[in-house]
Amino acid sequence: MLSLADMGFTPPVALAPMAGITDLPFRSLVSRFGAGLVVSEMVASQEMVQAKPGVREKAELGLGVENTVVQLAGCDTYWIAEAARMVADRGAQVIDINMGCPAKKVTSASGAGASGSALMRTPDHALRLIEAVVGAVSVPVTLKTRLGWDDDCLNASEIARRAEAAGVQMITIHGRTRCQFYKGRADWAAIRAVKAAVRMPVLANGDIIDAPSARRALEQSGADGVMIGRGAQGRPWLLAQVAAALYGTPAPEVPQGAALADLVAGHYEAILGFYGRALGGRVARKHLGWYMDHAGTGADLRRRVLTAGPEEVLHLLPDAMQDCVRERRAA
Ligand SMILES: Cc1cc2nc3c(=O)[nH]c(=O)nc-3n(C[C@H](O)[C@H](O)[C@H](O)COP(=O)(O)O)c2cc1C
């Protein structure tokens, strides 16, 4: 069986899975700047196997994106094992199991079945799912959890230990409980107990937005690397910047002005190409919004970009991204 070490997962800076965001166009961009691993949006196992429209695209790998992890969600050993086999056959280098998603539609037994972070409440069942996936594929299997379900159920260390014994090769801990959703601050120090419980690599996740916060997260958690989600929105170069600061990899050239407009236009066209113009236009809006947040684009221009059709968006982007240069000069 391949191990993560054999694969040379380096630098240990990973893009977090984010439903609706870490699709192939965004992962490709982040990967091009430089990231150890990039993780797909969570893919519902049964829907994947049954080819529900739109689901297989989430695990779409793309040629040349070799550091792709496909994340599976599910609560049934048969479906999750079948889905694992399918995505491994399609080229996933690593399969991650989602035990961190807090959304009610994922955790509630009345929805798809109690999956995501709800599995932290049923560790024996969680273990059966892990064993089913590890047994189904020869690529490395990783796990992503929270600290626990709530303050009375902080069992990430126990789950990590049992998962490692079952063959899981790396674990990412989002330093919140399920019941915190995204409130409060991620508790990086609490991840230290998980690190102490296992020999496999542990990634710290939650509220890492730049190199200083990544460094603090590593110091407080003792983790082996970091996983970054929201901080990379509108900044696909962020992981490469963090990796350069922490691990001495080449620093990325952060695009500005015309180069930034070109990058955003390329991302926009890749989204339209991947989803088609109608759906792509809607998916692209949040990315455009984040780019403009960072660029400090004025309110009027922002509104025009977010309501325009493709040709006009491409026409407006150079101006929208120029505000970035002005803002940096003023700083
Ligand atoms: C919009 C959104 C979608 C997310 N989707 C997933 C997902 O599909 N699978 C998963 O394990 N976590 C998901 N997460 C959680 C992130 O992977 C990450 O654990 C969390 O955002 C904390 O990290 P951050 O502060 O760096 O964003 C999602 C988070 C956000 C904001």
Side-chain angles (χ1 to χ4, degrees), residues 251-303:
E253 188 137 335
V254 176
Q256 300 194 16
L260 178 60
D262 280 352
L263 174 134
V264 178
H267 186 187
Y268 181 68
E269 287 177 322
I271 294 172
L272 297 190
F274 186 67
Y275 293 101
R277 284 167 66 101
L279 176 58
R282 291 197 296 278
V283 170
R285 261 182 228 140
K286 52 189 168 238
H287 292 280
L288 293 173
W290 290 319
Y291 285 119
M292 290 191 287
D293 287 346
H294 292 300
T297 309
D300 275 355
L301 185 49
R302 182 188 174 90
R303 200 168 30 248

Side-chain angles (χ1 to χ4, degrees), residues 190-204:
I191 298 170
R192 194 168 273 280
V194 180
K195 174 66 191 156
V198 293
R199 296 218 310 272
M200 65 179 159
V202 175
L203 299 187

Side-chain angles (χ1 to χ4, degrees), residues 16-19 21 41-42 71 98 101 144 174 176 182 205-208 227-231 233:
M18 288 186 286
I21 299 162
E41 311 170 66
M42 91 184 137
Q71 188 189 64
N98 179 328
C101 180
K144 181 164 178 283
H174 176 186
R176 289 184 172 85
Y182 293 90
N205 169 243
D207 300 346
I208 296 170
M227 180 178 271
I228 299 177
R230 292 165 294 176
Q233 292 169 346

Side-chain angles (χ1 to χ4, degrees), residues 294-313:
H294 292 300
T297 309
D300 275 355
L301 185 49
R302 182 188 174 90
R303 200 168 30 248
R304 282 170 63 199
V305 170
L306 293 181
T307 51
E311 283 72 25
E312 203 188 343
V313 168

Side-chain angles (χ1 to χ4, degrees), residues 256-257 260 294-296 320-329:
Q256 300 194 16
L260 178 60
H294 292 300
M321 294 301 122
Q322 277 302 325
D323 282 3
C324 171
V325 177
R326 283 197 285 278
E327 186 193 44
R328 280 182 194 156
R329 280 205 191 109

